[in-house]
Amino acid sequence: MKPVHQTANAVVQTKKPTIWLQMKKNYSAYLFLLPKLILFIAFIAIPVVWAFIISFQEYKIFGSEWAGLDNYIKVFKSDAFYDALGNTFLFTVVTVPFNVISALIIASLIHPLGKLSQSFFRGAFYLPTVTSMVIVAMVWRWMYNYDFGLFNYVLGWFGIEPLNWLGQSSSALWALIIMQCLIPFGVGIILYLASMGSISNTLYEAATIDGANSFQKWYRITLPLLKPSTLYLVLLSTIGSFQVFTQIIMMTGGGPGTATETLVHLIYKTGFRDFEFGFAAAQSVVLFFIILLFSIIQFRLLRYDD
Amino acid sequence: MKKWLSLFLISILVVGLLAACSKKENTTKDGGEDSEKEWTGTITVWDGPRWPDDKDNKFHWMESKIKEFEAAHEGVKVDLVQVPWAELPDKLGVSIAGQSWPDVAPVDISGSAVSIDHIEQGVIESVDDLFTEDELKDFYENALDAYTFDGKLYGVPNSLTVHAMLLNLDLFEERGVEPPANGEWTWDEFFAAAEKLTFDRDNDGKTDVYGFSTYILPGYYEAWPFFYINGGSPLNEDMSKFTFTEPEAVEAIQQLADLKLKHNVAPETLGGQDVGGTFQAWANEEQRTVAMQPWATWAISSAQTKYPTNFAVANYPTGKSGEPVTIGGVGGWTMFHQEDEGKKEMVGEFIKFISTTDEQFTMATEYGIFPARKSAADMDPYKDNPEMKRAQEMSSQVVMLPRHPEWKKIDEAIQTELQLVFNGEKTAEEAMKAAEKKVNELLGE
Amino acid sequence: MTSGIQKVNKLIIYVLLSVFAIVSLLPLYWVFSTSLQLSSYQDEELERQVSYVDSNPPKMYPVGITEYFEHWGKARDAESAGDAEAAAYHRDVMDYIIEDTFSGFTTLFNKNNVGIWFFNSFYIAVVVTIGILLFDSMAGYVLAKKRFPGRNLIFWSIIATMMIPGQVTLVPLFIMVRNFGIMDTHWALIFPDLAMVFGVFLMRQFMHSIPDELIDAAKIDGASEWKTYWKIILPLAKPGLAALGIFTFMNVWNSFLWPIIVLNDADLYTLPVGLKTLQDANLASFKLLMSGAAIASIPMIIVFMMFQRHFVKGLTLGGVKE
């Protein structure tokens, strides 16, 4: 770039053209981005911006009214919101680490196996995810059934009294948490396996020469190189977890009481049952900032060389 | 960085403005507006699957009606949109908010898909001009009532539903219990029956059959008549006060919950949230673990066809008020906001066409719902169906839910607290007091 | 060289994985088992029609299998005993068992529209998957490897939009689709799906690990941007692309709420939507429901089998000295 001994004036003057120059230099990058960007702006960015705008309005079919911060004040004043926040937070904080770590462990166990075994286990862990959450929720609701569900059946073997899993406030949310933990994180396992597949063998060979054992290889080579995938999975499952919805609708309706109420279920009711779209938008914006906060923290913690 | 931010936002705005500039479209194409000729164009009708024909087509009724109507009105085309019932509210909600509503939909105005709020915002057309005074007399009062708001009629009722007690007669026989004569009984008689019907069949120390069960879920009212039997009701006459905290109601609520909590004549799942599971426990031959359950009308035809059961229909037991009570609902057709007078008339014609006495009779016999027209009921659609007939007689006991604009939220506040009574975490009094706080806020708005 | 301890280790790993795999596969197994369960079978003991779909306690496998072989054995015995009538009876029962076991599937396939719905779901999923693989890898590549003004802004904007729950963007998106004139067409499904951003994020992460030296080497050799991308980056990203392909196909295949909202013409319905219109208001036949889920999952399983070959371990990154 410009030599340091240039006068301050000149430095200031050259700032502007530099950025344009940079843009011109990288015009191909913009071209590569273009198709995605156009689609993104039209079908995602604009609706999102719209939602932000609606959050400041009282949405009416034939012309919304401006409501300023009223919706936001309502959000912070509603007990239901805090109940949902607490539940959603607990759910996320338990299931995300569990799912990511278990995906890592399972992928690590599968990776060194022979081709056939790998294929088999990959299938075994990913295929269940092809069934939609709606069906999975039905199956689990059946498993938690008081009279003949699998869980109480198994408890019966050990002589333990059956539990009203989904019907008691103390157990309902935990039943959902357990369910989320036991559903294999197929996406995570596949992604980790794919990433492991890209790590060059030469790294491991060099380590073997240096006398490293399997665990050391895993800990010092594989794990750090998987950081980008880990970040992706942690971020995505956090975002997803904060938005947990289908299980609530299919299995508990938020009950008993507000024991399993979650943020997106609340938003859904506000928008689609009460038709208060402005209020729902405000709730979503607040949720957005909460998730954003979490994401920034995770990005910092899981930073890797850029 | 700031420069890019503003550039980015500007580009978003530009694209947004361009897109938004396309004015709100009329989703239907209008034909001629000559007041002499009939209106021509396309009408959009939504409906869900009904009963199948021999080709297993669950939309055949509406399709054949449409064909007839199109033949009678040249130039008019009717588009049928097949919507699954469970998703109808969501699809309708988005379509309304996105200003792309259909012309006709099979919904009521109680708030499950469309609410008073929509009426107030002008989304629903009033159908006052559709029928003459005399013609209206053919409809049951409470059916019309359920579609009336602020003195105007906002839909054409097609069916009435009631909630009734379904009794498994095989179990009654097994235990030597007499079912109530003519379906009438008091709470004490009902309780005595429940006790006898709770038993351990194979002597393994585990109760195999329970006397009674039901579930508690916002939007569902199978259990509610039990709360009314001592004279209680959720809101007072002018809907200004929450009255489930009154002793009549609190007693009745606790009484029902105590069937499980104190007397063990109801299973652990009483007051849970599993609708399908609760029904299976009563109807499914492989289970039959509960003798008596309250259900809405659809369950009667299910218990006759899909899960054949030897059963009888009975009233809810009477309480201190002495009168049997049940909760009912109404189904029918609503017309959505129309810009064109000619089209509005045509849509009205269509709705009339599908709600005639004959159609309602057909629906009653094939689809298992009670007609909203007296003339259709007079045609005795259930002469061969004693259970449906019995249930239909209960229409006179029907109490409708309060038609408060915020009812959905009020209902949720009440039902979520009720769930905590039935799983033993709160007493009825505590729960209703907690609900009172939330409901008063809603009533105050 | 596998020593004794290593063999034991391997065994433990297999056992552990198998246990997890069983837990993982249970719901999927249940779906298939229920879809093939006997739903109206004459039980000789109980002397009535029985449905094993809702048994209490539940049957963990399609009962038809054992019943079939039982009757086959009885038919054989009857034949050798010379009792033609009994043999014929047992054979009839065997036929009936087959019919009832598959009744869920035959009911669904007899509906004319199921074929159309299947086709719709399929081609839309294919189109979107190809589009996403192309656009997302292009975008992910430059976001990972190129430095240009606005890079971080774009990346963070993209991530940020994932944090808004879809329920609230339904209405604005609906209005957008209506304004673009694509309501009630397959474009209303394809375009918003192509805009999905989780793939861009995924590709960016994946491509981070591609050594810069390769790209520089290509540049020195005079390759254009496109050539670099097409010939060098893409092949190296195969595992990531395979993963993304599977995820995308699955997302599109299973998408349900949005298609119901924007499609009105029954001929345009995708499979999940169409199957739903076959269900009654109140109680779906569980077996029918599971049969629908089973049918819907089969193409997914096939796509998965096809794509997973590309997760090859130890891709050689030839041409670079470590």
Side-chain angles (χ1 to χ4, degrees):
Chain A
M1 296 283 113
K2 299 276 175 203
V4 170
H5 65 264
Q6 290 262 293
T7 57
N9 242 1
V11 170
V12 166
Q13 278 170 344
T14 53
K15 210 174 190 238
K16 225 178 173 180
T18 307
I19 296 192
W20 287 111
L21 237 131
Q22 276 193 314
M23 277 183 75
K24 260 173 69 182
K25 197 170 78 144
N26 287 301
Y27 79 95
S28 59
Y30 295 110
L31 280 181
F32 270 67
L33 273 176
L34 205 61
K36 194 73 199 187
L37 216 50
I38 293 179
L39 287 163
F40 169 74
I41 290 179
F43 294 100
I44 296 192
I46 293 182
V48 167
V49 168
W50 210 308
F52 266 90
I53 297 177
I54 294 179
S55 74
F56 294 107
Q57 299 177 329
E58 198 184 322
Y59 190 83
K60 294 218 178 294
I61 315 288
F62 290 114
S64 307
E65 294 162 5
W66 190 254
L69 289 176
D70 284 352
N71 288 329
Y72 287 96
I73 296 176
K74 234 170 143 184
V75 172
F76 289 113
K77 267 190 171 171
S78 71
D79 290 329
F81 185 78
Y82 293 108
D83 284 338
L85 181 61
N87 290 339
T88 314
F89 185 78
L90 181 62
F91 185 84
T92 302
V93 155
V94 175
T95 59
V96 170
F98 190 94
N99 277 330
V100 176
I101 293 176
S102 62
L104 181 60
I105 293 177
I106 292 178
S108 304
L109 289 177
I110 295 178
H111 186 70
L113 298 179
K115 209 162 179 206
L116 214 59
S117 308
Q118 269 209 46
S119 291
F120 172 74
F121 282 115
R122 271 204 296 262
F125 287 109
Y126 185 73
L127 283 180
T129 54
V130 315
T131 25
S132 69
M133 184 47 108
V134 171
I135 303 281
V136 173
M138 280 188 197
V139 174
W140 276 82
R141 185 177 60 194
W142 167 84
M143 291 210 275
Y144 277 128
N145 186 299
Y146 183 79
D147 296 310
F148 50 75
L150 196 65
F151 279 84
N152 280 348
Y153 196 52
V154 170
L155 283 184
W157 292 346
F158 297 101
I160 304 178
E161 283 296 306
L163 277 181
N164 190 356
W165 296 89
L166 296 173
Q168 295 289 140
S169 300
S170 49
S171 60
L173 188 60
W174 282 103
L176 294 180
I177 290 178
I178 292 175
M179 167 182 161
Q180 188 72 15
C181 288
L182 288 185
I183 294 174
F185 191 17
V187 168
I189 296 174
I190 293 295
L191 188 61
Y192 272 135
L193 281 175
S195 307
M196 286 178 196
S198 307
I199 299 178
S200 164
N201 256 348
T202 53
L203 287 170
Y204 292 114
E205 287 160 12
T208 317
I209 293 172
D210 285 346
N213 66 23
S214 318
F215 181 75
Q216 284 172 326
K217 281 189 229 172
W218 182 78
Y219 193 72
R220 290 191 176 281
I221 300 177
T222 318
L223 215 52
L225 285 176
L226 287 178
K227 245 191 184 164
S229 300
T230 303
L231 175 62
Y232 177 78
L233 290 173
V234 167
L235 212 64
L236 231 62
S237 40
T238 302
I239 293 175
S241 199
F242 262 106
Q243 298 185 24
V244 64
F245 172 72
T246 308
Q247 300 92 306
I248 312 300
I249 273 262
M250 296 287 315
M251 296 168 79
T252 62
T258 52
T260 56
E261 188 66 271
T262 61
L263 291 168
V264 172
H265 186 243
L266 192 61
I267 293 172
Y268 169 77
K269 285 192 290 192
T270 310
F272 286 91
R273 187 197 63 190
D274 304 334
F275 305 111
E276 294 173 347
F277 287 105
F279 186 32
Q283 290 171 328
S284 306
V285 171
V286 175
L287 174 60
F288 164 76
F289 278 111
I290 295 174
I291 299 180
L292 186 64
L293 187 65
F294 261 79
S295 307
I296 294 180
I297 297 176
Q298 284 164 347
F299 243 95
R300 295 243 167 263
L301 286 179
L302 289 167
R303 222 207 300 233
Y304 50 90
D305 299 310
D306 218 345
Chain B
M1 193 52 180
K2 268 197 207 139
K3 218 191 291 207
W4 297 117
L5 196 64
S6 30
L7 250 169
F8 193 57
L9 287 175
I10 290 174
S11 43
I12 289 188
L13 267 169
V14 167
V15 183
L17 283 173
L18 282 175
C21 264
S22 334
K23 285 283 180 354
K24 163 175 67 114
E25 282 175 19
N26 249 341
T27 46
T28 56
K29 307 146 212 139
D30 284 337
E33 282 191 35
D34 194 337
S35 50
E36 293 281 304
K37 280 197 306 202
E38 257 191 357
W39 175 89
T40 57
T42 311
I43 296 179
T44 312
V45 174
W46 287 14
D47 199 19
R50 300 202 182 255
W51 68 97
D53 62 2
D54 52 11
K55 290 207 194 69
D56 221 1
N57 176 5
K58 293 206 172 121
F59 292 92
H60 78 279
W61 172 77
M62 182 57 90
E63 284 172 352
S64 61
K65 287 290 125 216
I66 287 178
K67 268 215 196 77
E68 284 176 37
F69 189 78
E70 285 177 341
H73 298 267
E74 217 185 287
V76 175
K77 195 168 167 309
V78 181
D79 273 344
L80 170 65
V81 177
Q82 302 178 356
V83 188
W85 290 108
E87 282 69 37
L88 184 62
D90 284 349
K91 185 177 165 100
L92 196 54
V94 175
S95 302
I96 291 177
Q99 292 153 338
S100 276
W101 46 76
D103 295 310
V104 179
V107 295
D108 58 49
I109 58 172
S110 68
S112 42
V114 143
S115 70
I116 308 273
D117 205 30
H118 287 123
I119 299 180
E120 285 175 334
Q121 289 191 43
V123 175
I124 316 282
E125 286 287 348
S126 140
V127 292
D128 272 340
D129 328 319
L130 214 53
F131 293 103
T132 64
E133 280 265 353
D134 274 339
E135 288 175 324
L136 282 180
K137 291 213 184 90
D138 188 30
F139 289 92
Y140 285 107
E141 281 265 341
N142 45 14
L144 290 175
D145 225 21
Y147 270 102
T148 306
F149 175 71
D150 214 15
K152 291 213 189 129
L153 190 65
Y154 284 100
V156 177
N158 191 46
S159 62
L160 280 171
T161 54
V162 299
H163 289 91
M165 289 289 290
L166 300 191
L167 318 175
N168 182 326
L169 290 177
D170 286 336
L171 288 172
F172 271 67
E173 217 183 284
E174 193 179 333
R175 302 294 291 168
V177 181
E178 275 295 314
N182 200 24
E184 295 168 356
W185 47 354
T186 62
W187 170 266
D188 293 325
E189 289 164 348
F190 160 74
F191 183 76
E195 277 187 317
K196 289 214 207 97
L197 290 161
T198 303
F199 61 99
D200 175 4
R201 194 183 269 132
D202 48 10
N203 276 318
D204 62 352
K206 235 182 40 150
T207 314
D208 292 307
V209 177
Y210 284 92
F212 174 84
S213 189
T214 189
Y215 59 92
I216 303 272
L217 201 56
Y220 290 83
Y221 302 98
E222 273 78 359
W224 282 48
F226 280 106
F227 310 145
Y228 286 51
I229 60 179
N230 291 342
S233 74
L235 300 179
N236 64 357
E237 275 287 329
D238 59 7
M239 300 196 293
S240 60
K241 200 161 155 309
F242 179 62
T243 47
F244 255 1
T245 42
E246 303 291 315
E248 308 95 61
V250 169
E251 266 174 22
I253 296 173
Q254 193 67 57
Q255 185 175 267
L256 194 67
D258 285 343
L259 287 179
K260 163 174 100 171
L261 302 170
K262 280 218 187 92
H263 307 287
N264 289 316
V265 299
E268 185 64 35
T269 43
L270 175 74
Q273 298 112 294
D274 189 357
V275 180
T278 307
F279 186 68
Q280 295 287 329
W282 181 84
N284 194 314
E285 220 154 2
E286 315 308 324
Q287 298 185 33
R288 300 275 164 85
T289 51
V290 179
M292 307 184 277
Q293 286 183 354
W295 284 105
T297 337
W298 63 263
I300 297 179
S301 71
S302 195
Q304 291 170 333
T305 51
K306 249 196 187 148
Y307 297 100
T309 312
N310 180 15
F311 74 106
V313 170
N315 294 347
Y316 284 80
T318 56
K320 298 205 181 115
S321 71
E323 286 297 313
V325 131
T326 184
I327 295 204
V330 83
W333 306 95
T334 347
M335 178 177 1
F336 288 80
H337 176 78
Q338 301 293 329
E339 297 275 326
D340 182 288
E341 271 304 312
K343 181 167 183 199
K344 184 169 157 194
E345 268 183 48
M346 189 57 69
V347 175
E349 278 303 307
F350 182 75
I351 295 183
K352 272 177 98 164
F353 184 70
I354 53 178
S355 328
T356 59
T357 303
D358 282 332
E359 296 312 326
Q360 295 209 1
F361 178 76
T362 309
M363 280 260 181
T365 45
E366 302 279 3
Y367 197 51
I369 50 181
F370 302 146
R373 277 182 182 272
K374 295 179 191 144
S375 52
D378 287 340
M379 282 169 75
D380 209 4
Y382 306 118
K383 56 176 174 291
D384 298 318
N385 192 331
E387 287 91 10
M388 280 297 267
K389 204 172 178 149
R390 182 82 226 343
Q392 204 216 347
E393 287 163 15
M394 291 169 70
S395 317
S396 49
Q397 310 162 8
V398 161
V399 166
M400 293 286 185
L401 295 165
R403 219 156 343 102
H404 192 279
E406 301 285 352
W407 177 252
K408 281 274 140 190
K409 291 197 224 174
I410 296 174
D411 172 64
E412 183 188 39
I414 300 175
Q415 303 261 35
T416 46
E417 290 296 333
L418 283 175
Q419 286 172 343
L420 299 174
V421 177
F422 279 79
N423 69 5
E425 294 177 26
K426 282 190 187 174
T427 65
E429 199 172 336
E430 291 165 354
M432 289 303 102
K433 276 255 148 35
E436 184 173 36
K437 260 195 241 120
K438 295 186 222 166
V439 178
N440 279 340
E441 262 184 60
L442 294 164
L443 291 177
E445 280 176 19
Chain C
M1 300 157 289
T2 41
S3 69
I5 295 186
Q6 282 193 311
K7 278 208 179 120
V8 171
N9 267 343
K10 230 182 179 182
L11 187 64
I12 295 180
I13 291 178
Y14 270 104
V15 168
L16 217 59
L17 278 178
S18 302
V19 168
F20 290 152
I22 291 178
V23 171
S24 152
L25 284 171
L26 202 63
L28 189 63
Y29 170 75
W30 184 249
V31 169
F32 276 91
S33 173
T34 306
S35 65
L36 293 170
Q37 192 62 276
L38 286 181
S39 53
S40 75
Y41 182 63
Q42 186 69 16
D43 185 312
E44 278 135 15
E45 270 179 43
L46 297 173
E47 287 177 5
R48 60 172 170 81
Q49 293 279 62
V50 152
S51 164
Y52 289 107
V53 176
D54 304 296
S55 306
N56 176 13
K59 299 283 180 201
M60 296 302 291
Y61 66 94
V63 178
I65 299 178
T66 47
E67 290 294 311
Y68 187 82
F69 285 109
E70 198 185 302
H71 281 277
W72 181 74
K74 286 194 185 147
R76 223 184 27 168
D77 292 341
E79 266 171 13
S80 43
D83 190 350
E85 207 183 300
Y89 166 73
H90 285 293
R91 293 210 183 277
D92 278 342
V93 175
M94 282 161 65
D95 286 339
Y96 178 76
I97 290 178
I98 304 255
E99 199 189 304
D100 190 42
T101 296
F102 289 99
S103 63
F105 293 108
T106 48
T107 312
L108 287 179
F109 276 118
N110 273 336
K111 307 218 178 290
N112 298 329
N113 284 347
V114 170
I116 300 178
W117 295 333
F118 197 92
F119 174 71
N120 287 340
S121 276
F122 187 74
Y123 96 82
I124 291 176
V126 168
V127 168
V128 172
T129 302
I130 294 178
I132 289 261
L133 285 179
L134 191 63
F135 297 153
D136 285 13
S137 57
M138 282 162 64
Y141 163 52
V142 299
L143 285 175
K145 290 299 176 189
K146 303 268 174 215
R147 289 185 182 280
F148 54 91
R151 179 181 85 155
N152 283 337
L153 172 68
I154 292 178
F155 179 65
W156 273 99
S157 308
I158 287 182
I159 306 278
T161 56
M162 289 199 284
M163 304 177 196
I164 301 269
Q167 282 78 358
V168 103
T169 46
L170 269 183
V171 174
L173 185 59
F174 181 87
I175 297 179
M176 289 293 295
V177 163
R178 203 198 67 205
N179 286 340
F180 281 140
I182 52 177
M183 185 69 72
D184 200 17
T185 67
H186 282 157
W187 294 118
L189 302 183
I190 294 178
F191 284 136
D193 277 346
L194 283 175
M196 281 195 291
V197 292
F198 72 91
V200 177
F201 188 14
L202 179 63
M203 283 287 106
R204 175 205 190 252
Q205 299 304 92
F206 214 81
M207 294 195 177
H208 254 287
S209 43
I210 295 180
D212 293 336
E213 295 86 17
L214 280 174
I215 305 173
D216 295 337
K219 226 190 206 156
I220 292 172
D221 283 348
S224 70
E225 282 297 342
W226 181 259
K227 248 219 172 119
T228 312
Y229 162 76
W230 192 256
K231 295 255 177 214
I232 300 190
I233 304 292
L234 269 194
L236 287 175
K238 258 204 196 138
L241 286 172
L244 182 57
I246 294 177
F247 298 159
T248 306
F249 194 92
M250 189 191 83
N251 262 327
V252 177
W253 185 263
N254 276 335
S255 81
F256 170 66
L257 187 62
W258 178 249
I260 284 200
I261 289 178
V262 291
L263 294 178
N264 289 331
D265 185 348
D267 288 331
L268 292 179
Y269 283 178
T270 55
L271 192 60
V273 177
L275 289 179
K276 250 300 172 118
T277 60
L278 301 176
Q279 276 169 28
D280 295 317
N282 283 296
L283 278 189
S285 151
F286 211 54
K287 177 172 172 177
L288 212 60
L289 198 64
M290 293 294 129
S291 303
I295 293 179
S297 66
I298 290 176
M300 271 305 314
I301 295 176
I302 296 176
V303 166
F304 177 79
M305 304 286 197
M306 277 170 33
F307 274 68
Q308 70 147 353
R309 297 183 288 123
H310 296 287
F311 294 157
V312 177
K313 157 167 101 158
L315 232 39
T316 45
L317 310 176
V320 180
K321 292 203 174 62
E322 294 291 326

